[in-house]
Each structure stands twice: as structure tokens, then as C-alpha cells.
Amino acid sequence: MDLESKNQAGPSVKKTVFSGVQPSGILHLGNYLGALAQWVEMQSKYHCIFCVVDYHAITVKQKPEELSRRILDVVKIYLASGINPEKAVIFRQSDVKAHVELAWILNCAAARMADLNKMTQFKEKGANKESVSVGLFDYPVLMAADILLYNTDLVPVGEDQVQHVELTRTLASRFNRDYGQVFKIPAVAVRKQGARIMGLDDPTKKMSKSASSPANYIALTDTPEAAAKKIKRAVTDSGKEIKFDQNKKPAIANLLTIYSLLSGLSFKELEEKYRGQGPAYAGASAGKYGEFKNDLAEEVRKFLVEFQIKYRGFTDDEVREILQDGADRVRPIAQETLNKVKNKLGIN
Ligand code: AQP
């Protein structure tokens, strides 16, 4: 079965898009620019399924009341970003049991320890931790199950998730080869710009919800004043030029990327705008990149004000209804794929 949009009568010819976000913290500008903004662009062209992947979130310990609150908040963020539940399906992973069932099957029938040992995100997230859950190690397999259940063609993600989509392709091909054709092999969709927004406190690490310091990220729920402060305190590079140079000026390149995506101005236009406006002398810090940062803070402020008006406009009840409707719509698709898989394995 293919997904059909609510207002479409005939069988679907549109490609299917699947993606999700973990309710593991407050979503940030990186999640928005790297993933959600791309989802919004895709929803008119494709059959889109957007999931709140709560089973992924519990791979690290969460406070139960905070987690259930955040699940609803993530949906509000989807909606405030411009995802329209009339065009795209929004649902919660744990409402469709086929996800964990297929994950277990893939664990046994397709995934290998050697595959998972290569996952760089696990190495980063598991590093320096006293105890790490098996789930954190295995979560790329659950992500593969999420994607494969819906005959997905395209998976829009930020750069950090590309390796996991590649693993999904490997698992799908291996299963098809060993048990017979079931899975469609999905392709990854990564934005040219914004696929990896870096931390404001450290341009060598990505902006991350679970960063140890809130100075790392601009949360989509930060007050505009708090966000402006973070921009003004953001780490910059030596020198005084505002120039997009990923290698020599990674911090400025990151700020330029955020600025460009929010304002619609190209790097060239921004470089031109700030030509000759660096600090008066090398090592000047108070006013360093001052004008540029002030203007960027203003762009972020405008974005957040507009975003948060929309975000506050949705009620919990509305969100619950959207989630229930979404799960009801995708459950039969997931079940049909799962049944095919079980048939191939002789366990249906
Ligand atoms: N810094 C980023 N730049 C661009 N895209 C990003 N994404 C995450 N961080 C950046 C993309 O956002 C989507 C949702 O991510 P996720 O919630 O599944 O988890 P993640 O990739 O592990 O993101 P975080 O913020 O770092 O969460 P935590 O700290 O909880 O692990 C994905 O498409 C992701 O690529």
C-alpha cells in the first residue's frame, strides 16, 4: 500500500519522504535549518511522513514528565515551522508497534556488529560515558526500520544522519538479497547549505540539543534576547574579515550560514555588506565583528518572534488529535510491510 494524501482520490504517484526528530531536548536552529526547513519545502511535492521518534529519545535517560511534554512540543515545532498536517502525516513512533518489531527482525536478519561498530555518532555520544545503553548502540537499526516500513524514497536529514541512512540502504539490500525482495532502497536528501550547523561555543562540533552548555545552541524556544546574547558571545576566528572560508574561518562560516539561510542573502552579498567592517586592530575583542553580529542577532530575533507566535498558537489537544490521526493513517502501511517481511522469514 502506498500513502495517499487526504485530498487525493487515485493511487499515489508521488514519492514518499520519511524523517523524524527525537524529543530528546529542546529543538534548535540546527534542527530547523538542517532538517525541518527542508521538510517544509518537500511537503507539497511528495507524500511526507514526519515522525516524533520517542523510542530513539529513550536510548539515553530522560525524565518521564519532561519527555511526555517534549513529545507534544516537538509537534508544535513541526507545525510552527510550517508543516501542514493536511499535506504531511505527523505521528509518534511508539504509536505504531511495527517499528520495534521490524527493528528486532533487522537486528537478527540484516544488521551486523561490524556495521554498527562503524557508526561515528555512537562513538561521539558514547565517548567518556560511564555506562551506555545497548539501545544507543543499536538505534541506527531502529532508524532503518522507521524508514523502511513506509517504502520510503527520500530521507531528508542533516549531515550527521547521513551515515545512518547509508546503513539503512545496506540493511535493506542485504535483507532483499538473503530473503527476497521486500524493501525499497531509500536515498538521502541533504541540504546544500545548513546541513551541519555548528555549535556557537565551538565551531568544530555540531549544534546539539544534548550539548553540555546552552551557549552551544539557539533553541527555537529561546527568548529573542537570550538568543541575541548567545550570538554576541559566539566564538569567532582570528583576523577581521567577514569571509566564508570553512577551513580558515569555521566560526564565521557557521555564522554566515545561519545569516544567509535566515535572510535569504547569499554569502557573496553578505561578504560585500561587511567588507572593511572588521575590528580596528587584531586582538580587539569588545567590538570584534560587532556590526555583523548585531545584524545577525536581529535576523535571529525576527525569525524567533514570528516562529514563537505560531508555536504558542497550538494547543495540546490539537496536537494529540494530529498524532492520533497520523498514527491511524500510517499503521496499515507499516503493518503491510511487516507482514511481507514476516512471510519471507516464515514467522507470519
Ligand atoms: N547541528 C545540526 N545541523 C544541521 N542539522 C542537524 N540536525 C541535528 N543537528 C543538526 C538534524 O536534525 C534532525 C533531527 O535530529 P535528531 O533529533 O534526530 O537528533 P540528532 O541528529 O542527534 O540531533 P541533536 O540535536 O544533536 O540531538 P541530540 O543531542 O539529542 O542527539 C536530523 O535530521 C539531524 O540530522
Side-chain angles (χ1 to χ4, degrees):
M1 188 191 290
D2 271 330
L3 185 74
E4 284 169 29
S5 73
K6 271 185 168 176
N7 49 12
Q8 217 180 1
S12 161
V13 286
K14 286 183 180 175
K15 289 191 170 174
T16 297
V17 164
F18 181 95
S19 199
V21 171
Q22 314 183 49
S24 50
I26 308 161
L27 268 62
H28 51 71
L29 215 47
N31 297 128
Y32 176 78
L33 297 174
L36 298 178
Q38 191 182 190
W39 300 5
V40 174
E41 285 165 12
M42 289 175 133
Q43 67 181 345
S44 304
K45 200 165 161 206
Y46 302 109
H47 284 308
C48 290
I49 309 177
F50 299 128
C51 188
V52 181
V53 287
D54 50 352
Y55 277 138
H56 288 277
I58 61 165
T59 55
V60 295
K61 194 163 186 217
Q62 305 287 338
K63 292 190 181 139
E65 319 75 55
E66 278 183 21
L67 180 58
S68 42
R69 174 72 258 150
R70 265 195 251 115
I71 290 167
L72 302 179
D73 290 346
V74 168
V75 178
K76 290 183 187 178
I77 282 175
Y78 286 5
L79 299 171
S81 300
I83 293 166
N84 176 350
E86 289 295 316
K87 291 184 179 169
V89 180
I90 301 174
F91 79 105
R92 178 171 71 153
Q93 185 184 31
S94 62
D95 283 336
V96 180
K97 296 194 173 20
H99 289 248
V100 280
E101 261 192 276
L102 182 60
W104 178 253
I105 291 172
L106 292 175
N107 271 333
C108 302
R112 306 282 180 266
M113 291 296 287
D115 299 320
L116 293 174
N117 275 327
K118 288 184 201 144
M119 296 298 114
T120 51
Q121 208 184 62
F122 174 75
K123 288 180 194 156
E124 282 162 20
K125 286 192 174 177
N128 307 322
K129 294 235 167 71
E130 245 177 54
S131 116
V132 174
S133 75
V134 176
L136 187 65
F137 180 68
D138 194 38
Y139 109 90
V141 178
L142 179 57
M143 180 167 159
D146 300 337
I147 295 166
L148 296 175
L149 279 172
Y150 300 102
N151 310 309
T152 300
D153 296 282
L154 276 175
V155 188
V157 285
E159 212 172 77
D160 61 315
Q161 293 293 338
V162 170
Q163 194 185 30
H164 294 160
V165 181
E166 276 160 9
L167 175 74
T168 302
R169 292 164 57 86
T170 302
L171 302 191
S173 308
R174 198 177 284 151
F175 186 95
N176 288 346
R177 183 198 66 198
D178 292 349
Y179 295 94
Q181 179 67 35
V182 174
F183 297 123
K184 193 179 257 188
I185 311 296
V188 70
V190 181
R191 284 188 109 185
K192 262 200 188 132
Q193 239 188 40
R196 195 175 186 83
I197 300 293
M198 309 309 278
L200 297 180
D201 57 347
D202 180 356
T204 64
K205 298 212 172 92
K206 72 163 190 150
M207 190 176 277
S208 181
K209 307 184 206 88
S210 49
S212 54
S213 160
N216 167 274
Y217 54 80
I218 293 181
L220 294 169
T221 51
D222 271 348
T223 62
E225 297 73 35
K229 267 192 198 149
K230 289 183 188 181
I231 298 272
K232 285 176 192 167
R233 287 185 192 151
V235 167
T236 47
D237 310 292
S238 56
K240 52 184 182 174
E241 238 184 325
I242 304 292
K243 192 170 180 316
F244 186 86
D245 185 333
Q246 195 69 67
N247 296 325
K248 291 193 188 134
K249 304 193 93 161
I252 291 297
N254 188 42
L255 296 180
L256 273 170
T257 302
I258 297 173
Y259 198 158
S260 168
L261 287 168
L262 292 181
S263 67
L265 294 171
S266 67
F267 291 146
K268 252 205 161 104
E269 287 168 316
L270 289 171
E271 284 170 359
E272 199 51 49
K273 183 169 176 191
Y274 295 101
R275 197 174 298 283
Q277 285 194 24
Y281 56 93
S285 59
K288 196 167 182 187
Y289 302 110
E291 177 97 14
F292 168 70
K293 279 183 160 183
N294 280 342
D295 292 351
L296 172 57
E298 177 56 19
E299 280 304 325
V300 171
R301 190 196 66 77
K302 277 195 286 186
F303 167 78
L304 287 180
V305 166
E306 207 178 300
F307 181 90
Q308 289 171 9
I309 289 172
K310 290 188 221 149
Y311 175 77
R312 284 192 286 267
F314 302 104
T315 66
D316 289 354
D317 283 345
E318 272 174 291
V319 167
R320 287 193 189 98
E321 219 172 283
I322 289 169
L323 287 178
Q324 193 179 334
D325 177 57
D328 290 346
R329 290 173 68 195
V330 295
R331 211 176 274 115
I333 309 168
Q335 195 55 47
E336 191 174 312
T337 306
L338 186 64
N339 288 345
K340 284 187 197 161
V341 169
K342 286 172 137 187
N343 277 334
K344 294 287 186 195
L345 291 166
I347 56 171
N348 212 5

